[in-house]
Amino acid sequence: MSKIVDTDEAWAFFEKMENAYFRPAPSPKALPGNYIQVLEALVESDKEKLAISDERDEAIRTKSQISRTREASAMDKLSVATRKNRELTERLGESVKHATITAVKNATGKEYKFAPLRRWCRENHVEATEVPDIRYGQVKSWPAESWLQVYGINLKSLFASSQRIH
């Protein structure tokens, strides 16, 4: 009947039917004939189960170890990135310890003069920090206490929450 239909699906079915008739699937293992063979088959089956169980347990341990290693590596990379970000932020003059005039101006939108900050530093025997600047090469980054005393600006509240880089 499948030859008469003459479609690819019909021919595929015919081939399956022909293969099943002329090449039957091998029969499953014969049942053990005596008590000793039954026990040997049972022991062999239990050994296979134990081997599979051991392989599964080893795979779980390996997966767990890989997961812990990846997590540790990711946390280490994040820690390095965080430290580097803090260093760069401080170097650019936007830290809770000191800040440049430009950094505070960008954060507040107001203009500031350096002279009162310099005067405060001289009077209090404090040195301003030199930081790199794209336009001038190096600029002064004034201490947090000077910003607080001269202009009433708390650098910690200004920069700590956002850690913006300008």
Side-chain angles (χ1 to χ4, degrees):
M1 288 300 289
S2 66
K3 286 182 175 180
I4 295 170
V5 176
D6 198 31
T7 64
D8 290 338
E9 186 178 0
W11 279 103
F13 177 75
F14 175 75
E15 288 173 8
K16 283 182 186 177
M17 190 171 62
E18 189 179 47
N19 286 336
Y21 182 77
F22 290 111
R23 292 177 212 85
S27 61
K29 283 185 176 180
L31 292 175
N34 60 39
Y35 185 69
I36 293 174
Q37 289 175 338
V38 170
L39 288 176
E40 287 174 347
L42 184 60
V43 167
E44 188 63 32
S45 173
D46 281 352
K47 283 181 182 179
E48 288 175 3
K49 286 179 188 176
L50 284 173
I52 290 170
S53 177
D54 288 345
E55 288 175 9
R56 183 201 64 221
D57 292 346
E58 180 62 24
I60 290 170
R61 279 192 297 275
T62 302
K63 182 179 176 186
S64 177
Q65 182 181 6
I66 290 170
S67 178
R68 284 192 307 271
T69 302
R70 282 184 181 162
E71 184 178 338
S73 176
M75 292 303 288
D76 186 42
K77 286 178 184 175
L78 180 61
S79 177
V80 168
T82 302
R83 281 194 307 270
K84 194 170 192 174
N85 185 17
R86 281 193 196 120
E87 287 174 18
L88 289 172
T89 300
E90 285 190 27
R91 285 179 58 200
L92 291 173
E94 290 183 17
S95 75
V96 295
K97 298 175 188 169
H98 54 82
T100 63
I101 298 226
T102 304
V104 175
K105 175 185 170 189
N106 290 339
T108 63
K110 297 179 183 176
E111 294 284 335
Y112 300 96
K113 304 264 184 219
F114 73 91
L117 295 168
R118 182 177 61 190
R119 187 177 322 112
W120 185 92
C121 285
R122 284 182 181 160
E123 291 171 0
N124 291 282
H125 309 289
V126 177
E127 290 287 324
T129 305
E130 294 276 336
V131 295
D133 185 77
I134 295 172
R135 294 169 295 170
Y136 305 112
Q138 295 278 334
V139 294
K140 299 279 187 188
S141 185
W142 304 99
E145 187 64 25
S146 68
W147 280 103
L148 188 60
Q149 296 298 319
V150 175
Y151 291 111
I153 294 175
N154 184 342
L155 296 182
K156 189 171 189 172
S157 63
L158 188 63
F159 294 123
S161 61
S162 63
Q163 286 295 314
R164 294 180 303 245
I165 296 178
H166 299 280

